[in-house]
Structure formats: structure tokens, C-alpha cells
Amino acid sequence: MASYILSSEKEIIKDISNKIKKKRISLNLSQEYVSKKTGLSMHTISNIESGKSFTIESLIKVMQVLGIVENLKGLIDDPVLGPDEIHMPYEKQRVKNSKKKEENSTWEWGQ
């Protein structure tokens, strides 16, 4: 899959799962070996490789065993902020009343 932009969540999960399985096979590792190294059940390893329900923690454990966890570094940019881009916490500022009172008011109590 070249781009995930127009893909559904299920398609993306299926693609990632297929890549995990291909990587495991290319390293000549069994699901049982990955299960023992990660501490995850064989069922969880199977779920990851088939695109069924799994947690991000389980996926990371498998990626660590397969030696591909570094691929996650590019997942989220870690921009370096310059001094002009760092914002101080917002402080509540006093707002002046924008309405001017009439100087010659004829209003009195009881009217």
C-alpha cells in the first residue's frame, strides 16, 4: 500500500499486520518464538498478524522483537521550538468596559 491517505482504518491495520507477518517470516521466526520473547500469547500474535483486535503495547512488543520498533520514531514529528514560538501560559487579563456611561444621565432611583 503506497499511501494511507485515502485508506480506511481497517485497510491500514490490515497492511500493517501483513508487514509484521512478512517481517517475522523473513527473519525465519515462528509465532511461538515471538510469543515467548514478548510474553504475549500465541493468540495475540495471531491477532496482530491477521489484523484483528490488538493493543498498541502488544504491537510495540512485537516490533521490538522483530527489530523494527525504530520505525515508530517518524510517526510523530518532534519539532524544536524557537523562543518566539514558545507561549507562556495564558494569564487572565482585566478587560475594560467598552460602554461609556452617559455624562448627563437623568436616571434616578425609583423611576
Side-chain angles (χ1 to χ4, degrees), residues 8 11 14 20-21 27 75 77 84 87 92 97-98:
S8 71
E11 290 171 328
K14 189 67 176 170
I20 294 290
K21 183 175 183 176
L27 294 172
L75 185 64
D77 291 335
D84 58 330
H87 299 286
K92 191 172 181 180
N97 190 352
S98 62

Side-chain angles (χ1 to χ4, degrees), residues 1 4 6-18:
M1 186 174 286
Y4 290 148
L6 298 176
S7 302
S8 71
E9 291 85 3
K10 288 185 180 191
E11 290 171 328
I12 295 169
I13 291 169
K14 189 67 176 170
D15 186 56
I16 291 169
S17 296
N18 286 334

Side-chain angles (χ1 to χ4, degrees), residues 63 68-78:
M63 290 178 75
I68 57 174
V69 75
E70 283 295 312
N71 293 351
L72 295 174
K73 284 197 129 215
L75 185 64
I76 300 174
D77 291 335
D78 191 13

Side-chain angles (χ1 to χ4, degrees), residues 43-93:
H43 181 72
T44 300
I45 304 300
S46 178
N47 280 351
I48 291 171
E49 291 186 356
S50 61
K52 294 181 182 171
S53 179
F54 56 87
T55 65
I56 189 76
E57 290 87 359
S58 297
L59 179 63
I60 290 170
K61 286 180 181 182
V62 171
M63 290 178 75
Q64 287 173 323
V65 169
L66 299 179
I68 57 174
V69 75
E70 283 295 312
N71 293 351
L72 295 174
K73 284 197 129 215
L75 185 64
I76 300 174
D77 291 335
D78 191 13
V80 178
L81 299 177
D84 58 330
E85 297 172 315
I86 298 173
H87 299 286
M88 300 305 287
Y90 176 74
E91 293 180 19
K92 191 172 181 180
Q93 304 233 342

